[in-house]
Amino acid sequence: MQAPPPDPAGDRKSPPSSEGVSRVFVHTTRRRPDRSTACLAGLLVLVVPLSGCTSLKDYIHNGFKVGPNYGRPPAPVAPDWIDAADARVRKDPDDLSRWWTVFNDPVLDSLVCSAYQQNLSLRQAGFRVLEARAQRGIAAGNFFPQTQQATSDYTRNAISTETANRSFVQNRFYGQWDYGFNLAWELDFWGRFRRAIESADANLDASVEDYDAVLVTLLGDVATYYVQARTFEQRIRYARTNVEVQRKTLIIAEARFKAGTTGELDVVQARSTLEQTEAQIPEFEIGLRQAYNQLCILLGIPPEDLRARLGPAPIPTAPAEVVAGIPADLLRRRPDVRRAERQAAAQSAQIGVAEADFYPHISITGTIGSSAEQFTNLFRSTALEGTVGPTVQWNILNYGRILNNVRFQEATFQALVAAYQNAVLTAAQDVENGMVTFLRAQERTKFQAASVADAEKAVELVVAQYRAGTVDFTRVTQLEQTLVPLEDVLAQAQGEIALGLIQAYRALGGGWQIRCTGCEPTVLPPAGAPRPPDGPKPAPGLQPVLAPPKPTPKGYNGDGA
């Protein structure tokens, strides 16, 4: 870069006279601000291309900011779901903001709303949003004068008369009154503060997405533990029904033993089978209590017995279809995916903040105030004092600290990009896992229900044959022991249908919209009041899956007939 040509007037020599000296003095004083301005402008032109990582073209293109402008990174998305050919997988867009209502269970609706209003983890996420909002305000405030201070003081001073030049001391003791205002403003030539605001904006967005992600997880957990509780209740009912059947079989064996038509072995076998089945009930009750306790935590209340509040009800029946849309919808619907993308955007802006340290920091500083020995003179015009002017601070000989800080910020950004892309893959995996569970559990339940029905019929026939004395008791024991796990697996399969649908809708990112629409807790019927039918009403466009018949072992009257 060439220096500007010298001003002819500046090189002109004046004659040695008083007028000449006066002219030269006035001329030099007038030209000094122009030269300072020209030097500062030349410095700025030289600094941009010669230092840092941003070219002059990019600096202008980025809005006079160093560092890269952020663009959403690509993410791997499949064109369709694995089970897209299944008629039960709907790809048309639908409203998933209240997906739990497809179960048509007022108890579940009430629990979801109560958890949204009372859950403490969700409140923590809400306060993190407020933290991010405050941090954004701090970042925006740094764009304006960073230091603005009003000062005032009074000091009483004493000067030693035993030091050198003490003869100049006219007043050894004196007071000093001062007040003033200081200002320092670092101008955002390189976009350091604007990049910091961009980062804070993205962090605020990420905190909102984090709140939504916590909300989606919360709603899914409430539905999951509710279904688990209903599944344990059904398993307990099946076990108690089998206990009644086996207890009546024991009565038959004892009657035959007393009549002398069979030995004591039948009685012992019958009692052992009964006790084995009874031992399963406490295990199921442990699982039920743990599900209740987890629901209490999700509701933000101390653990308590929820049976009175929930009342008796079957396992929620799911519709036959799942509204999945297309995999690309995950990028806009899943809050955790959006959170990962916003975190990458926030880190991208930090690269520009780090690169700004390559360049000089240009500031305007100034002070204005008054100083006087007597307080009465403090507000006179003659007591006024002040300074104002630009300052330049340029970090040099930094031994690679600035460059390595830029490299650190870039590596952190690349790591967050990889985390975002992995979040997209994980989201797709969650949806696929939920859908395959939901679809295959329907088939499993169908076959399991048929197996239970056949096992019940076999128990009925073998008990009648044992009463007639045509088979031994070992056959009865085998069939009754087989029926117990078959019915237990049936209850688990029925619950797995609902759990698979819950997993799919949670993985699809539905439910966070409740923070925009709000909810009102459902008024539950009092204990003992008749409940609605077990089968839910189909949601618009959805057809309910045909619930498998609930196999109930054939009962016997009290005398064993």
Side-chain angles (χ1 to χ4, degrees):
M1 177 178 178
Q2 296 181 351
D7 188 347
D11 294 337
R12 183 181 304 145
K13 295 182 180 180
S14 303
S17 64
S18 59
E19 291 183 4
V21 172
S22 177
R23 284 197 301 271
V24 171
F25 176 77
V26 173
H27 167 76
T28 305
T29 303
R30 176 175 57 82
R31 294 296 299 171
R32 185 172 298 162
D34 295 338
R35 289 179 176 177
S36 300
T37 304
C39 291
L40 182 59
L43 178 65
L44 295 180
V45 174
L46 286 173
V47 161
V48 174
L50 295 181
S51 63
C53 305
T54 304
S55 65
L56 178 60
K57 178 181 178 181
D58 291 337
Y59 172 73
I60 298 175
H61 179 267
N62 293 346
F64 300 97
K65 294 179 288 187
V66 298
N69 277 352
Y70 173 75
R72 176 178 293 179
V77 179
D80 217 333
W81 306 113
I82 297 176
D83 293 306
D86 196 311
R88 294 169 294 178
V89 178
R90 291 175 48 192
K91 294 189 292 184
D92 52 302
D94 203 350
D95 182 15
L96 301 181
S97 60
R98 295 180 179 270
W99 55 261
W100 57 89
T101 58
V102 301
F103 295 104
N104 196 33
D105 191 323
V107 177
L108 177 58
D109 296 344
S110 177
L111 292 176
V112 165
C113 190
S114 297
Y116 168 66
Q117 295 175 344
Q118 301 171 183
N119 182 262
L120 298 181
S121 297
L122 190 62
R123 291 187 183 180
Q124 291 178 351
F127 285 120
R128 288 195 292 269
V129 174
L130 298 181
E131 291 175 6
R133 183 178 296 171
Q135 291 292 339
R136 197 272 176 197
I138 294 174
N142 287 332
F143 181 78
F144 302 97
Q146 293 81 25
T147 302
Q148 302 169 85
Q149 297 174 336
T151 61
S152 62
D153 64 80
Y154 170 76
T155 58
R156 186 66 181 172
N157 304 286
I159 300 178
S160 173
T161 57
E162 300 299 329
T163 61
N165 299 321
R166 58 183 175 270
S167 59
F168 293 99
V169 177
Q170 298 179 359
N171 187 6
R172 182 183 178 191
F173 299 99
Y174 67 94
Q176 185 74 25
W177 294 88
D178 299 283
Y179 83 91
F181 178 77
N182 302 327
L183 181 144
W185 188 359
E186 180 181 341
L187 303 179
D188 195 24
F189 275 103
W190 320 117
R192 181 161 72 101
F193 299 118
R194 284 171 288 166
R195 291 295 190 191
I197 294 174
E198 290 178 11
S199 180
D201 284 335
N203 279 324
L204 176 58
D205 294 339
S207 69
V208 175
E209 302 300 350
D210 178 70
Y211 179 90
D212 290 343
V214 172
L215 180 55
V216 169
T217 301
L218 170 64
L219 302 181
D221 286 347
V222 170
T224 295
Y225 284 103
Y226 175 74
V227 171
Q228 289 182 357
R230 293 305 190 192
T231 301
F232 276 114
E233 290 174 353
Q234 184 62 47
R235 297 173 72 181
I236 292 173
R237 284 194 291 269
Y238 279 143
R240 287 175 176 169
T241 301
N242 280 289
V243 165
E244 292 300 320
V245 172
Q246 294 170 7
R247 184 174 287 119
K248 293 172 182 178
T249 303
L250 174 60
I251 294 175
I252 297 175
E254 289 175 341
R256 288 174 57 83
F257 173 67
K258 292 178 181 178
T261 58
T262 187
E264 187 179 3
L265 179 60
D266 292 357
V267 177
V268 176
Q269 282 184 323
R271 187 178 297 116
S272 175
T273 301
L274 172 62
E275 292 167 348
Q276 181 182 8
T277 305
E278 289 176 331
Q280 295 181 2
I281 296 178
E283 179 183 358
F284 297 154
E285 290 176 339
I286 292 173
L288 178 61
R289 177 63 63 83
Q290 291 175 346
Y292 283 162
N293 292 342
Q294 186 60 44
L295 276 175
C296 290
I297 300 303
L298 296 175
L299 294 174
I301 61 177
E304 64 180 45
D305 192 350
L306 294 178
R307 282 180 292 185
R309 177 174 178 178
L310 301 184
I315 299 173
T317 305
E321 298 177 336
V322 55
V323 181
I326 59 176
D329 291 340
L330 296 176
L331 301 181
R332 63 175 179 82
R333 183 184 291 153
R334 281 268 299 224
D336 58 334
V337 172
R338 299 199 304 264
R339 175 186 59 196
E341 187 271 331
R342 289 287 84 200
Q343 289 173 342
Q347 182 57 35
S348 174
Q350 288 297 323
I351 299 175
V353 175
E355 284 193 18
D357 288 335
F358 279 122
Y359 306 92
H361 300 267
I362 304 171
S363 305
I364 297 177
T365 61
T367 62
I368 187 171
S370 295
S371 180
E373 180 180 2
Q374 302 296 329
F375 181 78
T376 55
N377 300 331
L378 187 62
F379 301 98
R380 292 183 177 181
S381 60
T382 54
L384 182 66
E385 60 182 5
T387 61
V388 63
T391 62
V392 177
Q393 178 183 344
W394 198 344
N395 298 323
I396 59 176
L397 300 179
N398 55 78
Y399 305 102
R401 289 189 296 268
I402 296 177
L403 176 60
N404 283 286
N405 183 39
V406 173
R407 291 171 176 171
F408 169 77
Q409 301 298 339
E410 289 177 342
T412 304
F413 169 70
Q414 294 297 335
L416 289 174
V417 170
Y420 162 67
Q421 294 170 336
N422 188 64
V424 175
L425 293 177
T426 303
Q429 177 192 16
D430 294 341
V431 176
E432 293 287 2
N433 290 343
M435 286 198 298
V436 71
T437 301
F438 171 67
L439 298 175
R440 300 300 177 263
Q442 295 182 35
E443 301 170 6
R444 177 191 180 195
T445 301
K446 177 183 177 181
F447 292 119
Q448 191 67 26
S451 175
V452 167
D454 292 338
E456 285 183 335
K457 183 63 175 178
V459 169
E460 179 184 359
L461 294 174
V462 77
V463 170
Q465 293 174 2
Y466 175 71
R467 186 184 295 111
T470 58
V471 297
D472 60 5
F473 193 76
T474 301
R475 191 72 177 275
V476 177
T477 301
Q478 291 176 345
L479 291 177
E480 287 185 343
Q481 289 178 337
T482 300
L483 179 61
V484 173
L486 287 178
E487 290 188 332
D488 184 62
V489 171
L490 175 61
Q492 296 179 56
Q494 292 170 337
E496 193 175 29
I497 298 176
L499 291 176
L501 187 61
I502 292 170
Q503 182 181 358
Y505 280 141
R506 172 163 58 181
L508 288 168
W512 59 266
Q513 299 88 343
I514 193 175
R515 71 172 171 84
C516 303
T517 60
C519 69
E520 293 294 333
T522 304
V523 179
L524 300 179
R531 298 183 60 82
D534 293 347
K537 297 179 181 179
L542 300 179
Q543 296 298 325
V545 69
L546 297 179
K550 296 182 176 62
T552 303
K554 303 299 185 291
Y556 305 93
N557 54 33
D559 58 1

